[in-house]
Amino acid sequence: MTDPVLSIRNLTVDIPGRYGTVRPVDGVSYDIAAGEILGVVGESGAGKSMAGNAVIGLLNRPAFISGGEIWLNGQRIDQLRGDTMRRLRGKQIGMVFQDPLTSLNPLLQVGEQLTETMLTHLDISKAEAEKRAVAALDEVGIPGAAERLNSYPHEFSGGMRQRVVIALALCAEPSLVIADEPTTALDVSVQAQIISLLRKLCRERGTAVMLITHDMGVIAEAADRVAVMYAGRLAELGPVRDVITDPSHPYTHGLMASTPLASRGKARLHQIPGAMPRLDAIPEGCAFNPRCPHARDKCRHDPRPEMGASNAACWFPLVGAEVL
Amino acid sequence: MALVRVQNLSRVFDVSKPWLNRVIERRSKSFLKAVSEVDFEIAERSTYALVGESGSGKSTIGRMLVGLLTPTEGNVEIEGVDLAHERDAARVEAVRADIQMIFQDPYASLNPRWRVRDIIVEPVAAKGGETKGLAEKLLEQVGLSAQDAGKFPHEFSGGQRQRICIARALASEPKLIVCDEPTSALDVSVQAQVLNLMSDLKDDFGLTYLLISHDLTVVQHMADRIGVLYLGRLVEEADPDTLFDDAKHPYTQMLLEAAPRMDGFGREVVPPEGEIPNPIDPPSGCAFHPRCPIAQQICQRERPRPRSLGTTRVACHLAE
């Protein structure tokens, strides 16, 4: 197997505060290979976006990477600062955020935003950049690309705007794209268009994609592998089909079973009791033990379980606990 | 018996620029028809769901039901009283007390300066009712504890806040609760808790729900009857099993096909063409015809009337 594009090892993010330090990302490791889509799921506060922001170097102070390593194409990037990081980020990592309106500059025509990005990061002439901008808009399926170069972001609809953002993320030909809830603000029919576009681009260009979302349906359709996060830790990591249909971690099982889709024809939805713990009160041992129906003494007292031979960070992984 | 009867309901918004701009730019007034000739009935003690994408008019209908907006045309009858046109203030008042609403954003719909107790009893206190111990009782019914009554909204998580909103909606012992995207701001596991709570309360209190949602899976789980909206028009109405197994309207079929599935591993969806047209200038005839795979000439000319096909009601010339 070839080397992964992105490799995260034991990544830990800390936020120091007046009342002590909290740890929104705690010892997370995963790889993404070229042409692969890794889905990162979890509920709000699970640390999925925080891990993505750590990779791209966009942690807001006082949050900082307190441990672990991030490797991009064989280069260690977690210690890069300032200008070096900025160059690398623009060139090698593309980012797609949830809200397309706030990630485009409302005062610049989209053509200008595209060419500016390319001129900064690629060694090409202005004319060439403009030609590529048209090609980029065309590739993401914007009709009449050449005319739309002079349009401002507000002249596009939500779905078209998200396409522009994707074109922008891809125009410097990055090897990794981080898509943080790219379809959450969009309607179902437009969501299907964007997902299919992401998959097509990933397949054709061999770009590695980190797809961060809370929507299991989107993950099932788009991702090759999926990482499930809980309270800043990785709960389960594996091929999408295994994780969704036959989860090993009780949290994953609860999560999948509580979607209305999995309970078709049942009067009540499956319920996980309680709520995700606050970051300053993560339980001892396995973070999920107070809500886990299978928790035993070992889960409460031993140090937290590591990812073992099964895909799950659990002392007693489930076997044959089918959801669908 | 039908608790709610909506007939020929339309709502038009004036979205014109200020008159000076209109004079200078020589523009005429422009209007947006958010809801257009919608008919449906909600049976007592049932859940009626309205689904549709953004701009389909589902929230506008909900707001007209509770009286936050007045209909431009048509009427909403609740318990036989037409709220917009009834002259007898006492009758209107009596029906109003039977309607409550739960909003999408539990962060924005609770006053941050009020204690939970005051928030919950407000619908009763406003009418001068007896409120002693009411908040505590309701909090326990929605799965919080009586001690929470003295706290402020910021001390609760999103799911707990939505429970507070539900407690407030229950305070005046309503018959009908309009739920506008009640779980869209919540995580999946919390969503499951809130939906289960809503089902339980419906049985305990004999409630009727109008559930407004864009999430087909939630609607499928909760509803007894589903209405699908497109550009302010009701295009199809059916019970969940019929709708999900045998959708008649091409728009419903497209929507169901496009929705992501948990078992859709690597599914190659042919993504739907185009987007929702501008509602200020909707297409002629059937509003869906520019995106419809089976559209014919008649679809451009004539707006289809809803007609019955089995238990389904569908507004399409060609559906069969």
Side-chain angles (χ1 to χ4, degrees):
Chain A
M1 201 179 132
T2 50
D3 284 343
V5 173
L6 178 76
S7 177
I8 298 179
R9 288 280 158 270
N10 237 343
L11 178 71
T12 302
V13 174
D14 278 355
I15 308 180
R18 197 183 296 168
Y19 304 107
T21 300
V22 296
R23 188 160 280 186
V25 179
D26 189 356
V28 168
S29 308
Y30 49 74
D31 295 338
I32 310 180
E36 182 186 47
I37 300 182
L38 176 78
V40 181
V41 277
E43 301 181 272
S44 34
K48 52 195 196 303
S49 292
M50 200 61 108
N53 287 347
V55 170
I56 201 168
L58 283 182
L59 289 178
N60 284 327
R61 281 205 303 176
F64 70 104
I65 298 174
S66 59
E69 295 168 10
I70 302 171
W71 295 79
L72 183 69
N73 295 321
Q75 186 189 3
R76 187 165 171 188
I77 63 167
D78 53 298
Q79 292 158 328
L80 298 180
R81 293 281 172 271
D83 216 36
T84 346
M85 183 64 203
R86 191 149 51 234
R87 291 203 169 281
L88 176 121
R89 176 161 67 212
K91 175 84 188 70
Q92 299 202 27
I93 311 176
M95 187 90 197
V96 180
F97 293 98
Q98 173 171 351
D99 184 357
L101 196 55
T102 51
S103 44
L104 292 169
N105 186 335
L107 300 176
L108 289 183
Q109 297 162 352
V110 300
E112 240 173 291
Q113 305 194 32
L114 283 162
T115 47
E116 185 195 11
T117 310
M118 283 187 272
L119 289 174
T120 315
H121 297 293
L122 303 175
D123 190 18
I124 53 175
S125 70
K126 192 140 195 265
E128 172 68 18
E130 268 172 28
K131 222 168 75 193
R132 288 205 196 176
V134 177
L137 289 183
D138 201 40
E139 195 177 358
V140 295
I142 292 181
E147 294 87 65
R148 295 315 295 265
L149 277 187
N150 299 324
S151 305
Y152 290 92
H154 76 264
E155 297 175 72
F156 290 89
S157 67
M160 284 298 158
R161 243 178 248 145
Q162 196 61 296
R163 287 168 195 259
V164 173
V165 174
I166 292 175
L168 199 56
L170 290 171
C171 69
E173 291 168 1
S175 47
L176 170 71
V177 170
I178 300 178
D180 192 349
E181 305 270 6
T183 59
T184 308
L186 306 174
D187 280 319
V188 179
S189 60
V190 181
Q191 168 173 289
Q193 295 168 353
I194 298 291
I195 295 286
S196 121
L197 174 67
L198 266 179
R199 276 174 62 183
K200 182 181 121 219
L201 294 174
C202 171
R203 197 171 48 226
E204 286 172 3
R205 296 179 170 217
T207 314
V209 179
M210 184 195 294
L211 177 64
I212 301 170
T213 178
H214 66 276
D215 189 327
M216 308 306 151
V218 170
I219 290 285
E221 297 204 348
D224 301 306
R225 285 188 310 141
V226 51
V228 183
M229 289 187 70
Y230 182 79
R233 303 167 187 184
L234 220 48
E236 185 157 2
L237 176 69
V240 64
R241 189 181 290 269
D242 298 356
V243 173
I244 290 186
T245 53
D246 184 18
S248 311
H249 197 286
Y251 173 65
T252 320
H253 180 262
L255 197 62
M256 299 305 163
S258 59
T259 57
L261 223 51
S263 344
R264 189 171 178 182
K266 293 183 200 134
R268 291 176 65 84
L269 295 167
H270 177 86
Q271 226 170 289
I272 310 179
M276 172 109 61
R278 289 163 52 108
L279 286 176
D280 57 4
I282 291 178
E284 228 183 301
C286 170
F288 188 59
N289 82 65
R291 303 174 71 190
C292 182
H294 312 288
R296 305 180 203 177
D297 276 352
K298 192 177 175 66
C299 308
R300 294 181 194 104
H301 304 304
D302 282 20
R304 66 183 166 118
E306 296 298 327
M307 200 72 88
S310 71
N311 296 326
C314 178
W315 292 118
F316 309 103
L318 304 172
V319 179
E322 285 178 14
V323 177
L324 292 175
Chain B
M1 204 201 100
L3 181 72
V4 179
R5 186 170 290 137
V6 171
Q7 283 165 339
N8 197 28
L9 187 69
S10 300
R11 170 71 200 198
V12 177
F13 290 104
D14 185 347
V15 291
S16 315
K17 290 190 166 181
W19 72 270
L20 189 60
N21 294 59
R22 289 206 306 274
V23 172
I24 295 170
E25 296 165 20
R26 290 164 196 267
R27 285 169 190 256
S28 53
K29 282 197 149 194
S30 50
F31 297 96
L32 187 155
K33 201 159 197 182
V35 177
S36 172
E37 297 168 35
V38 168
D39 293 289
F40 63 89
E41 285 182 1
I42 308 178
E44 212 164 327
R45 296 177 181 234
S46 72
T47 301
Y48 189 94
L50 287 173
V51 273
E53 301 181 273
S54 46
S56 61
K58 51 193 193 301
S59 289
T60 308
I61 294 179
R63 284 166 173 269
M64 284 193 281
L65 238 70
V66 295
L68 288 173
L69 288 171
T70 49
T72 310
E73 265 178 70
N75 53 48
V76 177
E77 264 179 34
I78 296 171
E79 298 175 41
V81 178
D82 180 354
L83 289 179
H85 302 104
E86 177 65 45
R87 300 262 172 201
D88 185 353
R91 285 188 77 188
V92 172
E93 196 69 0
V95 174
R96 276 279 170 82
D98 285 340
I99 314 168
Q100 279 291 338
M101 186 155 182
I102 300 169
F103 296 91
Q104 170 171 3
D105 185 352
Y107 291 82
S109 54
L110 298 174
N111 188 334
R113 288 163 179 267
W114 283 22
R115 290 186 193 275
V116 167
R117 176 182 297 112
D118 302 325
I119 292 175
I120 291 177
V121 302
E122 172 70 1
V124 177
K127 291 185 177 297
E130 174 59 40
T131 61
K132 196 164 178 293
L134 179 65
E136 286 76 5
K137 194 184 90 194
L138 286 166
L139 279 171
E140 285 182 351
Q141 264 161 343
V142 298
L144 296 170
S145 81
Q147 284 88 45
D148 290 333
K151 294 186 185 166
F152 286 98
H154 73 260
E155 297 175 63
F156 297 89
S157 68
Q160 290 171 325
R161 284 175 199 224
Q162 203 58 297
R163 287 172 191 264
I164 295 172
C165 292
I166 293 173
R168 173 178 60 186
L170 291 173
S172 63
E173 297 178 359
K175 288 185 185 156
L176 171 70
I177 300 185
V178 174
C179 313
D180 191 353
E181 306 266 12
T183 58
S184 304
L186 306 177
D187 279 316
V188 187
S189 71
V190 183
Q191 166 174 291
Q193 295 172 359
V194 171
L195 291 179
N196 282 341
L197 174 67
M198 285 173 59
S199 308
D200 293 345
L201 293 172
K202 184 185 161 209
D203 297 339
D204 295 350
F205 289 77
L207 297 169
T208 306
Y209 288 129
L210 173 68
L211 177 69
I212 295 166
S213 180
H214 69 279
D215 189 332
L216 292 161
T217 59
V218 169
V219 163
Q220 181 180 19
H221 180 75
M222 296 289 289
D224 299 310
R225 188 93 178 148
I226 299 174
V228 182
L229 291 164
Y230 183 73
L231 272 185
R233 302 154 192 222
L234 196 65
V235 294
E236 182 161 2
E237 191 196 75
D239 40 76
D241 291 341
T242 319
L243 190 80
F244 282 84
D245 293 337
D246 183 24
K248 304 286 188 200
H249 198 283
Y251 173 66
T252 317
Q253 291 166 356
M254 185 204 87
L255 205 60
L256 294 178
E257 179 61 29
R261 296 195 202 133
M262 292 251 303
D263 55 355
F265 304 112
R267 187 166 71 110
E268 283 294 341
V269 190
V270 182
E273 294 278 320
E275 294 178 24
I276 297 189
N278 185 355
I280 295 175
D281 182 23
S284 62
C286 169
F288 188 60
H289 84 255
R291 301 171 71 188
C292 183
I294 58 167
Q296 293 183 0
Q297 284 218 320
I298 184 171
C299 306
Q300 290 179 31
R301 284 198 317 271
E302 248 179 73
R303 176 166 170 188
R305 297 280 123 207
R307 60 194 167 94
S308 292
L309 275 177
T311 55
T312 305
R313 268 205 316 151
V314 59
C316 177
H317 293 298
L318 305 168
E320 45 194 38

